[in-house]
Amino acid sequence: MSADLVLFSGRLLDPVSGRFLPQTALAAAGGRITRLGDDREIRALAGPATTVIDLRGAVVTPGLVDGHLHPVSGAERTGGVDLSGCTELTAVREALAQELRTLAPGDWLRGWGLDPNVFGGGPVGAAALGPVLAQVPAALDLFDGHSMLVSPRALELAGIDGPRRFEQAAEIVCDAGGRPTGLLLEDAACELVEAVAPKPTAAELHQRSAALLRAMAASGLTGGHAMDGEGLAGYAALEADDALGLRFRIAPRCQPGADADAVAELIRLQGTGGRLWQVAGVKLFMDGTIDNGTAWLEHADCHGESTHAFWPDPDAYTRVIGELHRAGVPTATHAIGDAAVRHVLDSIEKAAADGAPVRHRVEHIETVPDDTVHRFARLGVTASMQPTHCCEYTRADHTDNWSRRLGEERAARAWRCRDLWESGARVVLGSDWPIAPYPPLGVMAGARHRRPSRDLTEPPHGIDQALSPLRALQGMTVNPAWAAGEEGIAGRLAVGYRADLTVLADDPLTVPDTDLAELPVLLTVVDGRPTHRDPAI
C-alpha cells in the first residue's frame, strides 16, 4: 500500500533521549507513522497520490501540543483591540482612541489582554483611562481572563448600579460610596455585561476560529488540551468544513452548583467528538487569580484578599471529584493559590482511596510550598504549567502586581516547574491562550529562560525554576501524551504512533534559549496531512 506522506532527508529527534534517530525518513498512512528508514527505502513507498517532501536536513519532532488553551472561546474573546503589548496607561489610552475612531455610532468598544500592571499602584478602574471611555459602551478583558473593565455606559446598559451577591466567587468592585468602578471580577459578574453586549454571529466566529487554527498550525502546534467545553458545536462545524487543522482533547466545565443531572451529562459526553476532537475530561475551578484578589491562599494577600474558594462549599467540589473519579473521568482543576492546590490534591487523594487510577490534573499552580510540591508525584497528578505567565506578567524584582500582592516569601516560589519535575511529577506546558501567546516555541523558550519576551535583556524571574531544553520539549510532547493516557500512540516518532509532526529549521535542543522563539517552523503535519508548509520546503 502506498504511503499518504513521505518525508525524507530529515533529522528525526527522539524527545525521550534527546538524540537523533538513526533513520532519516518516515512514511505515514491512515494518520499513523507506518515506517521509519533511510531515504531510498522510504521514498520507494510513494505512489502517485503521495505527498513527498524533501526536508533538506530539517529537524522532525513529534507534534507540539499545548497543554492548556481556549481556541474557540478565545477566538470570540479576542475581538476588538489587542492591548497585550501595552505596558503603560498612555499606550492603552492611545490604542483605545485609535480603535474608537473606527467604530460606527452605537458600536461597542472591545479590547483584550489588558495588563493590570499598567495601572501602577493605583486602582484598576475605568476612571484611570480618562475620557476615551466616557460616552461609549466598552468592555475590556484583562489579561487573566477572569476580569473585565467596562465603561459607565456599559454598566448602565447592563443595569449595574451597585454591588451584588453571587452564588459563586465574583464581585462588582465599587468605591467607598457604593458606586461601581467598572472593574468586574470573575465570570458571574462579567456575564452581566456580556449579556447585553453584541456577540459575533456563528459564521463570524467560525471564520475567526478557522483563521486562528491556521495561524496555530503555522506556529508548529499540532494539538491542544482545550478547556473550551461550551463550543463543541464549533469544533464539529470546523471539522465538517475541513478547517479544524489541530487535534483537540476537550474538557467541558463543571461549575459550582452543578446538580446530579449536570454531572451525569458531563459523564455522558465523554468520548464524543470527531476524528480530530474528543471530549475527554472535565474542567473545574477551585479559585480565581492572584492579580484580582480572587485566588484561594492559605493566608490573605497584602490587601486582605484571596481568602476564599471559587466553590462556596469546597466539600461539594470534593464530592463531584469523587463522582467523576468513580466514573473514570479525568479532571483538570484550575488552582492557582496554595490553599486551592492543597484542597484539589486532598480531594483527589480521597477519591483515589476507593477507585481505579485516573489521571487527574491541576492547572496553573502559581505558588505552592514544598510539602505540596511532593504530593503530585505520589498521587499521579499532572502539573499543568504556563511558564510564560511568569515571564510576561511578573518581574524578577517583584515590583509587579502579582508579586506585591503575595509578598516576598510567596512570590519567591513562583511557577515551580523545575521543583515539580524533579519531585517526580509529570509537568505539561501550555500557553492558556488567549491569556498568553500560543506559539509553542515561545512557551518552551519561556520555560527555559524565564524572561519577558518583549525584552530578553531583563533579568529572569526564578531562574532556578527554569527547565532544560530537553525537559521543555518533553513538556509539549511526551508529557501531554501521558496526561491524556495516549503515551502508546502519541508523543514519539515510532511506527504505529500518530503522524502528528512539527518540522523545524534547526535542533530546538541546541538553539540558544533566547533565540528559540524565532526558530522557523517549516512544516506542520496533523493526522498525516500537512497543515502548514513553508515555501522553503
Side-chain angles (χ1 to χ4, degrees), residues 333-385:
T333 301
H334 168 120
I336 281 178
D338 47 12
V341 176
R342 173 187 51 75
H343 188 83
V344 173
L345 295 177
D346 287 347
S347 299
I348 291 171
E349 185 168 23
K350 181 176 181 180
D354 57 357
V358 178
R359 293 181 183 177
H360 298 291
R361 308 158 48 124
V362 182
E363 311 296 314
H364 309 310
I365 319 166
E366 292 185 5
T367 178
V368 287
D370 291 346
D371 58 346
T372 299
V373 166
H374 294 285
R375 296 182 68 190
F376 280 81
R378 178 166 58 84
L379 295 173
V381 175
T382 297
S384 174
M385 308 289 287

Side-chain angles (χ1 to χ4, degrees), residues 176-427:
R179 294 176 294 272
T181 65
L183 181 60
L184 307 177
L185 304 181
E186 301 299 335
D187 285 352
C190 296
E191 284 167 2
L192 297 175
V193 169
E194 291 289 11
V196 298
K199 289 181 168 50
T201 65
E204 289 169 339
L205 184 56
H206 181 87
Q207 185 176 27
R208 278 192 208 172
S209 299
L212 168 68
L213 296 178
R214 288 192 296 271
M216 286 183 167
S219 76
L221 277 176
T222 64
H225 296 177
M227 309 298 166
D228 244 0
E230 297 76 14
L232 298 183
Y235 289 101
L238 286 163
E239 187 164 58
D241 201 27
D242 197 25
L244 194 52
L246 277 76
R247 189 186 303 275
F248 288 112
R249 174 183 174 88
I250 302 165
R253 291 186 181 185
C254 180
Q255 296 281 34
D259 58 18
D261 289 342
V263 175
E265 175 62 11
L266 289 168
I267 294 171
R268 185 197 67 79
L269 282 171
Q270 301 302 306
T272 60
R275 183 172 178 84
L276 292 180
W277 66 279
Q278 184 181 66
V279 175
V282 170
K283 170 75 181 296
L284 305 97
F285 290 82
M286 201 65 246
D287 65 353
T289 70
I290 288 166
D291 279 293
N292 280 342
T294 56
W296 186 17
L297 299 171
E298 300 283 6
H299 305 285
D301 68 15
C302 70
H303 298 294
E305 297 176 338
S306 284
T307 58
H308 301 290
F310 185 74
W311 286 60
D313 178 7
D315 289 340
Y317 165 88
T318 301
R319 290 191 291 273
V320 169
I321 290 293
E323 188 169 351
L324 293 170
H325 182 95
R326 287 188 293 274
V329 177
T331 61
T333 301
H334 168 120
I336 281 178
D338 47 12
V341 176
R342 173 187 51 75
H343 188 83
V344 173
L345 295 177
D346 287 347
S347 299
I348 291 171
E349 185 168 23
K350 181 176 181 180
D354 57 357
V358 178
R359 293 181 183 177
H360 298 291
R361 308 158 48 124
V362 182
E363 311 296 314
H364 309 310
I365 319 166
E366 292 185 5
T367 178
V368 287
D370 291 346
D371 58 346
T372 299
V373 166
H374 294 285
R375 296 182 68 190
F376 280 81
R378 178 166 58 84
L379 295 173
V381 175
T382 297
S384 174
M385 308 289 287
Q386 296 73 43
T388 48
H389 293 194
C390 180
C391 299
E392 306 302 339
Y393 304 121
T394 70
R395 299 173 187 146
D397 63 4
H398 295 169
T399 58
D400 59 279
N401 181 57
W402 186 93
S403 299
R404 290 197 309 269
R405 277 183 172 269
L406 286 177
E408 285 297 315
E409 180 182 351
R410 289 181 293 189
R413 56 192 197 209
W415 285 271
R416 299 178 67 177
C417 298
R418 182 174 179 178
D419 287 344
L420 282 158
W421 198 297
E422 295 190 346
S423 75
R426 300 272 183 166
V427 177

